[in-house]
Amino acid sequence: MMHPQIWIGTIEIYFSNPEAPSVWEPAYTTVTTWACNAEEFSEKCTRMLESYGWKLLGIDRANPVSDEDEFSEETEDMLERTRSNPNAIIYGTFHTYPKM
């Protein structure tokens, strides 16, 4: 039996703009959550996004967090919140793509 670990991943999503709900935009964000494997990480991301009515386009990368990893302040804060809550699925800033 695998034990859950904190995973971190970069995911690509499709979300509706709060100012213009009919406008859907692709974006990417970082997610931290407890998972046993990549499949569980993916399922949790999908469930979290669907609760907002958003869609998962893809997962760029997802790995268990290692002690050697160094993260930005925002990500460290997300990891801290995840550590203290076994049910946490925490996402960071949405980075949208430049308009063509």
Side-chain angles (χ1 to χ4, degrees), residues 1-99:
M1 172 68 192
M2 298 268 306
H3 290 291
Q5 295 170 273
I6 295 180
W7 279 60
I8 184 164
T10 303
I11 65 170
E12 193 171 14
I13 67 167
Y14 206 45
F15 76 107
S16 59
N17 185 324
E19 279 94 63
S22 62
V23 177
W24 283 78
E25 293 185 61
Y28 60 96
T29 187
T30 301
V31 172
T32 59
T33 191
W34 290 89
C36 290
N37 52 41
E39 193 179 344
E40 186 179 3
F41 179 86
S42 172
E43 284 169 10
K44 285 187 154 187
C45 289
T46 300
R47 206 163 56 226
M48 179 267 294
L49 292 168
E50 283 176 349
S51 73
Y52 295 106
W54 302 334
K55 294 177 183 67
L56 179 66
L57 292 177
I59 295 177
D60 287 343
R61 56 182 177 274
N63 301 292
V65 172
S66 126
D67 292 338
E68 284 87 71
D69 294 338
E70 291 194 10
F71 299 106
S72 69
E73 206 170 306
E74 179 189 35
T75 304
E76 285 293 352
D77 179 59
M78 290 168 59
L79 288 168
E80 202 47 56
R81 288 160 56 202
T82 305
R83 272 184 205 104
S84 62
N85 178 358
N87 300 314
I89 308 173
I90 299 189
Y91 62 88
T93 306
F94 284 8
H95 301 278
T96 52
Y97 299 97
K99 301 278 182 281

